Amino acid sequence: MMMNEQKLAPAAEVAVQLPESKVAADNISGTMSGPLVGASGGGTTAAMRPFGRKAEVMHVLLRLLCIITSVAALSFMVTAQQSSTISIYGFMLPVQSKWSFSHSFEYLVGVSAAVAAHSLLQLLISMSRLLRKSPVIPSRSHAWLIFAGDQVFAYAMLSAGAAASGVTNLNRTGIQHTALPNFCKPLQSFCDHVAVSIFFTFTSFFLLAASAVQEVLWLSRSKY
């Protein structure tokens, strides 16, 4: 009996110590793996999202505002048409103005439509990523792509607004040393529509420029 008790005692000690050793090993494994995995995932997320969710929401808001302004520029221009009469050398002559009579106004309409389509596409992509809680700009290549697009369309809107402004200014001031009068007096509604369209055109330019600046800042701070 004494021999059996002595043999059972060490076996009991081994049986008690094994679970303790297993728990200790699990604790060590958790200490080694948990913080390392957390640090790696957080670092990757921070690199892909250098400005946080507020900046991404601002990016989406800029896209939405750009759609509104470009559609407004397009709408006011395509509705710019009016008929009236004007006095030249004492003769009352009928005049008619329409946006399609000017190549500069047609150019503004085409560019505004292209900018609206570009902004809508980028808005849908950004909103889908935002709702999935994914980075709005997932990589440097994507950032370079939308930066190039915003730059091209921004300069196109700037040139369209400048060209339309020249024609509108000529309509308001007339031509010196000739009997051509201020056409905007009898065609006030037409000129007002064009002026509002040009205003929204330049506003779209500034919004696209702001988006491009935000993308440059993202590129300067991102690592991937």
Side-chain angles (χ1 to χ4, degrees):
M1 293 294 293
M2 293 295 294
M3 293 294 293
N4 291 337
E5 290 178 359
Q6 289 178 355
K7 290 181 179 180
L8 290 173
E13 291 179 1
V14 172
V16 172
Q17 288 176 1
L18 282 175
E20 293 178 356
S21 301
K22 184 178 181 181
V23 172
D26 291 341
N27 291 335
I28 293 173
S29 175
T31 305
M32 293 297 292
S33 61
L36 287 176
V37 172
S40 176
T44 304
T45 303
M48 296 174 64
R49 186 176 287 146
F51 292 103
R53 301 294 288 180
K54 290 184 178 180
E56 293 180 343
V57 172
M58 180 61 66
H59 183 81
V60 172
L61 182 60
L62 286 173
R63 294 297 181 193
L64 178 61
L65 291 175
C66 192
I67 293 174
I68 295 172
T69 54
S70 57
V71 169
L74 175 65
S75 301
F76 276 100
M77 184 57 76
V78 297
T79 56
Q81 54 183 343
Q82 187 181 2
S83 298
S84 184
T85 58
I86 193 169
S87 176
I88 299 178
Y89 291 113
F91 296 97
M92 299 301 295
L93 301 176
V95 292
Q96 182 181 8
S97 290
K98 190 177 180 180
W99 65 273
S100 58
F101 294 165
S102 171
H103 294 301
S104 298
F105 295 161
E106 289 179 335
Y107 175 58
L108 188 148
V109 168
V111 172
S112 297
V115 169
H118 166 74
S119 300
L120 178 61
L121 176 62
Q122 295 300 325
L123 177 66
L124 293 176
I125 295 174
S126 299
M127 281 295 297
S128 64
R129 291 182 177 277
L130 196 65
L131 293 176
R132 295 198 308 265
K133 297 183 179 180
S134 302
V136 172
I137 303 177
S139 63
R140 290 181 65 87
S141 59
H142 182 81
W144 277 113
L145 180 63
I146 60 176
F147 170 72
D150 288 341
Q151 284 282 90
V152 170
F153 285 116
Y155 285 119
M157 288 296 275
L158 181 62
S159 63
S165 298
V167 176
T168 303
N169 184 62
L170 181 62
N171 287 337
R172 289 187 180 278
T173 60
I175 301 176
Q176 293 181 355
H177 310 300
T178 66
L180 292 179
N182 179 359
F183 287 100
C184 284
K185 286 184 178 179
L187 302 171
Q188 188 66 45
S189 176
F190 170 79
C191 291
D192 289 343
H193 274 72
V194 171
V196 174
S197 177
I198 293 172
F199 169 77
F200 281 115
T201 299
F202 283 117
T203 304
S204 298
F205 160 73
F206 285 114
L207 291 171
L208 287 169
S211 296
V213 169
Q214 189 180 39
E215 289 144 16
V216 169
L217 294 175
W218 190 95
L219 286 168
S220 66
R221 296 191 182 185
S222 65
K223 299 178 181 179
Y224 294 94

